[in-house]
Amino acid sequence: MIGDFVVKGKYVGAEVDRVDAIGKVTGETKYADDLRLPNMHYGKILFSPYPRARVLHIDTRSAEALHGVRKIITAKDISGNNLYGYEIHHHPLLVGEGQETRFVGDSIALVVAETPEAADQALENIEVDYEVLTPLTSPREAKAEGAYQIHPGSQGNICCRPELIHGDIAAGFKNSEVIVEHTYFTSRQEQAFLETESGVAYVDDSGMLHIFSSLQDPYDVLEDVCYALGIPKSRIHVKGTIVGGAFGGKLITTIEVHLAAMVYLARVPVKIVLDREESFIFHPKRHPDEIHVKVGSTRDGKIQALEAEVLSDAGPYSGRTPEVLGLTVSALVGPYGIPSVHLTGQAIYTNNLDSGAMRGFGAPQAAVARESILDKLAGTLEMDPLELRQKNFLKPGQETLSPVLGDSPVSLELLKDQILEKMGPLPEVSPEQNKRVGRGFCFDMPVFDVSAIPVLGKSGVGIAVEIFSDASACVYAGGTELGQGITTVLAQIAAEELGLPINKVFVEMSDTWTCPRAGRTSASRLTYVLGNALLLATEKIRNTLLSRAAKMLEVSKDELILENGKIKAKGSPSKGVGLQEVATVCSNEGLKLREEGWFKYPEDRYMYGHTFMASAADVVVDLVTGEIKILKLVNIHDSGKVINPILAKGQLYGGSLQALGYALTENLIVEEGKLITPSFSEYLIPTAMDIPEEFVADAVETPYPTGPYGAKGLAEHALNSTTPAILNAISNAVDIDLTTIPVYPEHILEAIRAKETDHQ
């Protein structure tokens, strides 16, 4: 383990206030849209109105003649490759004449103007002639024989096709005495971050391009800008601003390449901020999936075989889809020991909105199908759903089937006991009220990235720490503060290891000039990977400081500790020296007080480590109106060492509320490739009125062998397990199968009527 397991240090394990709290609650924090530059102009993007169309001609003369318009940019102006994209560069920066659009988020032209009003008018004045073509708007249609290829060479429009096989599936079903199967449909979910895509950029007098933007991976932006525009990486500086939410929607490059093109070609500073409808159209969403699941067991509930096929809508570009679908397929196994599995997935290119990363990264879809079929199996066996799960829990020492490291202690029984204690007895309602109460459970084995294998040809995570002569310190981390609190966690670790007050630690993040490469901010990874890298870096600085102090105090270095801004001899508090004095001496003598820590998981096997989680929900359903009310919702997460309990609970509550929306309200509707729900008036996310009457989030701490102080990832995990718990509670209340999310009251009433008709 890197770092000793700490029950509770001064900062690690303590409920430390967020280091960025005051600026955010007072409004002093500056987001991208708050930035102002001298002579700043405003950028706008002309998007295609059609999901599939050939661009015949673009006439910009009327737009260029408008007062205040600085530059209109089309594909013919781009000197680079005019392409970008994660792993596969096939997303055009601008669709040119003679080329086809692939979805309504494709860009046709860019406008740079002195005012937002002039930019808007210029957009209206650009005249584009299109040959409107028939789009492919369903995966089944797109994969059919003879369908046109959205990307030449993509036979059957297949983006990716992951598979997980273990054991003998035919023998598994032969040994099964009960077999159930069903098909489940999950919806397209919008990240719904408060801050839309935004950024400012400029070119300085030396020709250096500076981009300040709301993003999740500054180095990925660096790669895309270089490739699309042909600008050397050495001439590009990317700085991530404070982010007002992302949840995966800003994981791939969004407006940054467009912004760079505007600045580089117009030669003026430019700001671009998407409005809500543009944002809804532009960034990738959670994949809508069709999942057919078949499971077989003995009559006493021992599962023998699991088979599943996932059909996923990739949208027009590859992006993160191969990783997401790979996780969906592997997550179908869950925290269960199953002798034989055969799981396959297909992601198909369509002309719908783009699909990609969203909190949970494909695992929530899998959990919906897996946990729903388990309740269906329990019903067929006339067995308690919790008993069925418990019979099939992974046991300590049992190998996981999913492609994860498998080194997390199995805590499922502990989680089961905790969830039952927190839930208590099932609430009661009077039968004459025409209401029914139900309880549902979900157990999950969520994952987090451990930086073990190359992503984009790179692996490993770096961080730098510098301590100054005044005994203040700065941490330089390439990840991004999205609101999850990673700046606070890193400040806690640095303060703990260097013996500093936390207000003497500053954390700088997401800057390609100052911060070592740390990869993406996603996959619940930063506490684990950056925490480990930070421990390695602070260890080097500690050695320097303690070695110099040992000479000053004429004692062995091993006898010294760093504490409260001082270096003291163990057992002799009066014998010590101030850290500032030692740091000053080190600085004057030219000793190195800036160190880098580089962490890479020691094995090149799998991308993910894992943990365990349990969720349970009590709901009441009105049989007359179909209204669903959540009475109680409990999430228990095995977090390893919890670095900051307040932040951890915030993540569990937040993920759970997003999952509530996924279950009951959120459905981004796309018809014939066009968005039908372009704002929060039509796309409904949970509000304060939807919070359960009793809402509990808690953690158990089983140390992770290689985590910093034993910590694990947790940020996304409540989203995985909450939705199935709610769905199973509804099914338990009214004794119906739910196959599609979100579940609306009318769906409940239709299912009840259908059931009554079947019984007549």
Side-chain angles (χ1 to χ4, degrees):
M1 176 171 27
I2 296 180
D4 295 327
F5 179 65
V6 174
V7 175
K8 186 176 181 182
K10 181 173 183 180
Y11 295 111
V12 169
E15 294 186 340
V16 175
D17 291 340
R18 293 183 63 115
V19 297
D20 56 357
I22 293 177
K24 287 185 173 180
V25 299
T26 60
E28 294 176 3
T29 297
K30 292 192 180 299
Y31 295 85
D33 190 25
D34 297 317
L35 301 180
R36 300 287 186 273
L37 298 173
N39 192 33
M40 188 175 75
H41 285 53
Y42 296 85
K44 293 289 286 186
I45 302 172
L46 179 65
F47 294 105
S48 169
Y50 306 107
R52 184 187 174 206
R54 183 172 292 107
V55 178
L56 302 177
H57 181 64
I58 306 172
D59 188 343
T60 62
R61 289 172 296 179
S62 175
E64 289 168 330
L66 290 172
H67 176 72
V69 172
R70 171 83 178 197
K71 183 77 173 177
I72 307 294
I73 301 166
T74 62
K76 68 178 186 301
D77 300 308
I78 305 299
S79 57
N81 292 297
N82 192 35
L83 295 169
Y84 66 101
Y86 178 76
E87 288 194 330
I88 302 175
H89 296 103
H90 61 179
H91 193 155
L93 166 57
L94 294 171
V95 179
E97 293 179 348
Q99 298 177 327
E100 286 187 18
T101 65
R102 295 188 178 99
F103 84 126
V104 291
D106 272 337
S107 307
I108 308 300
L110 308 176
V111 172
V112 179
E114 293 176 0
T115 65
E117 295 77 15
D120 286 334
Q121 186 60 56
L123 277 190
E124 293 182 14
N125 283 30
I126 297 173
E127 298 179 8
V128 184
D129 293 331
Y130 296 96
E131 178 189 353
V132 179
L133 304 170
T134 303
L136 295 173
T137 58
S138 80
R140 292 202 175 278
E141 177 188 23
K143 66 181 285 194
E145 186 176 352
Y148 95 95
Q149 294 181 3
I150 292 176
H151 296 281
S154 58
Q155 191 66 35
N157 284 308
I158 295 173
C159 172
C160 61
R161 190 159 38 189
E163 187 174 49
L164 176 61
I165 299 174
H166 179 83
D168 187 332
I169 195 68
F173 281 115
K174 186 177 180 180
N175 295 334
S176 299
E177 297 169 286
V178 176
I179 297 174
V180 297
E181 57 185 311
H182 223 304
T183 302
Y184 300 93
F185 300 88
T186 65
S187 63
R188 183 179 280 107
Q189 189 180 20
E190 158 65 31
Q191 291 86 351
F193 35 73
L194 185 61
E195 177 203 32
T196 63
E197 296 85 344
S198 52
V200 298
Y202 69 98
V203 177
D204 68 20
D205 292 340
S206 69
M208 180 70 68
L209 170 63
H210 300 268
I211 302 171
F212 300 83
S213 180
S214 175
L215 47 79
Q216 288 185 246
D217 186 349
Y219 282 96
D220 193 30
V221 169
L222 181 74
E223 299 276 350
D224 278 336
V225 171
C226 169
Y227 189 87
L229 300 178
I231 304 171
K233 294 177 187 177
S234 60
R235 309 303 294 163
I236 304 169
H237 168 218
V238 180
K239 166 65 179 167
T241 56
I242 299 297
V243 179
F247 309 112
K250 300 170 184 175
L251 185 55
I252 65 170
T253 299
T254 59
I255 48 90
E256 291 83 13
V257 177
H258 304 72
L259 181 60
M262 293 175 184
V263 168
Y264 225 67
L265 293 170
R267 308 308 285 186
V268 291
V270 177
K271 172 188 283 188
I272 182 170
V273 180
L274 297 189
D275 65 32
R276 184 60 63 183
E277 183 171 352
E278 290 172 333
S279 177
F280 269 33
I281 287 170
F282 189 55
H283 64 256
K285 313 291 183 281
R286 187 184 304 286
H287 293 74
D289 288 348
E290 175 186 328
I291 307 176
H292 183 79
V293 190
K294 178 180 177 182
V295 62
S297 80
T298 60
R299 291 203 179 277
D300 65 354
K302 289 296 292 181
I303 297 174
Q304 302 298 304
L306 175 68
E307 187 175 57
E309 296 179 0
V310 183
L311 183 61
S312 188
D313 187 340
Y317 301 108
S318 173
R320 299 280 176 166
T321 290
E323 290 177 75
V324 171
L325 186 58
L327 184 53
T328 303
V329 168
S330 65
L332 283 164
V333 179
Y336 306 109
I338 304 174
S340 299
V341 300
H342 187 178
L343 311 172
T344 60
Q346 279 192 341
I348 306 298
Y349 290 121
T350 70
N351 294 119
N352 290 324
L353 296 187
D354 204 7
S355 298
M358 185 176 169
R359 194 176 196 174
F361 214 69
Q365 296 96 309
V368 166
R370 181 191 70 237
E371 298 293 310
S372 296
I373 200 71
L374 288 182
D375 264 31
K376 187 174 179 64
L377 175 61
T380 304
L381 293 169
E382 298 182 345
M383 180 180 292
D384 180 85
L386 185 55
E387 180 186 356
L388 173 66
R389 286 168 170 81
Q390 189 176 7
K391 279 178 176 283
N392 293 282
F393 279 164
L394 278 170
K395 304 297 187 291
Q398 187 176 6
E399 183 181 354
T400 61
L401 300 186
S402 300
V404 297
L405 293 170
D407 52 358
S408 182
V410 177
S411 54
L412 291 165
E413 290 290 345
L414 176 60
L415 290 169
K416 183 211 70 173
D417 293 342
Q418 289 282 316
I419 205 91
L420 287 175
E421 179 184 331
K422 299 286 186 186
M423 289 300 292
L426 186 69
E428 296 181 2
V429 294
S430 301
E432 60 268 17
Q433 291 181 310
N434 289 310
K435 294 181 179 180
R436 298 291 184 271
V437 172
R439 173 169 289 181
F441 293 94
C442 173
F443 289 83
D444 197 46
M445 193 175 77
V447 301
F448 53 95
D449 178 20
V450 297
S451 192
I453 64 174
V455 177
L456 277 176
K458 310 167 194 71
S459 58
V461 172
I463 203 167
V465 184
E466 185 169 7
I467 193 163
F468 299 92
S469 59
D470 65 349
S472 65
C474 188
V475 177
Y476 303 91
T480 303
E481 173 62 71
L482 305 175
Q484 80 277 42
I486 186 61
T487 49
T488 302
V489 166
L490 295 177
Q492 286 178 259
I493 294 174
E496 189 79 43
E497 294 299 312
L498 297 175
L500 291 171
I502 197 167
N503 62 4
K504 299 273 276 184
V505 179
F506 176 75
V507 180
E508 167 76 3
M509 299 197 76
S510 198
D511 192 319
T512 59
W513 269 13
T514 61
C515 302
R517 182 186 293 274
R520 63 199 184 193
T521 300
S522 68
S524 305
R525 68 193 291 268
L526 289 193
T527 294
Y528 177 85
V529 296
L530 286 178
N532 274 327
L534 181 52
L535 288 174
L536 294 171
T538 54
E539 183 181 16
K540 298 175 186 177
I541 291 182
R542 282 171 58 91
N543 283 334
T544 299
L545 294 170
L546 293 175
S547 295
R548 190 65 189 86
K551 292 181 180 179
M552 296 168 70
L553 297 171
E554 298 181 338
V555 298
S556 168
K557 182 185 75 170
D558 296 334
E559 296 179 30
L560 299 177
I561 57 173
L562 276 161
E563 190 176 78
N564 296 324
K566 295 181 179 179
I567 299 178
K568 298 181 289 187
K570 298 174 185 176
S572 301
S574 60
K575 189 170 187 177
V577 62
L579 183 58
Q580 181 173 341
E581 183 180 345
V582 178
T584 299
V585 170
C586 290
S587 178
N588 291 342
E589 293 180 355
L591 298 180
K592 189 177 181 184
L593 290 179
R594 178 182 171 118
E595 295 285 359
E596 186 169 307
W598 191 261
F599 173 76
K600 181 180 183 298
Y601 194 86
E603 298 181 48
D604 294 334
R605 284 193 294 157
Y606 300 119
M607 179 185 295
Y608 297 115
H610 77 281
T611 186
F612 297 95
M613 182 159 187
S615 295
D618 286 340
V619 305
V620 59
V621 181
D622 191 312
L623 302 182
V624 176
T625 66
E627 180 187 5
I628 302 159
K629 186 174 184 179
I630 301 176
L631 301 175
K632 190 170 188 176
L633 186 57
V634 175
N635 289 294
I636 311 290
H637 185 265
D638 181 352
S639 307
K641 177 60 190 172
V642 178
I643 305 293
N644 188 315
I646 293 177
L647 294 180
K649 285 190 175 184
Q651 290 298 301
L652 293 176
Y653 282 128
S656 191
L657 281 175
Q658 281 186 306
L660 189 155
Y662 193 41
L664 300 180
T665 65
E666 297 186 41
N667 187 15
L668 200 71
I669 300 173
V670 177
E671 294 180 0
E672 295 302 311
K674 295 186 177 182
L675 180 61
I676 306 300
T677 51
S679 74
F680 291 129
S681 296
E682 303 89 6
Y683 183 81
L684 303 180
I685 61 174
T687 69
M689 299 297 292
D690 300 302
I691 293 177
E693 292 183 0
E694 290 188 71
F695 199 9
V696 179
D698 210 343
V700 299
E701 295 182 288
T702 59
Y704 193 63
T706 58
Y709 311 105
K712 306 175 183 178
L714 68 84
E716 302 171 276
H717 298 167
L719 212 156
N720 296 5
S721 53
T722 300
T723 300
I726 294 171
L727 298 177
N728 287 338
I730 297 169
S731 293
N732 177 250
V734 293
D735 192 24
I736 58 174
D737 289 328
L738 297 173
T739 61
T740 303
I741 58 170
V743 179
Y744 297 140
E746 53 265 35
H747 298 152
I748 300 295
L749 297 179
E750 289 170 7
I752 292 173
R753 285 193 291 266
K755 182 180 176 183
E756 291 172 347
T757 301
D758 290 341
H759 289 170
Q760 289 176 356

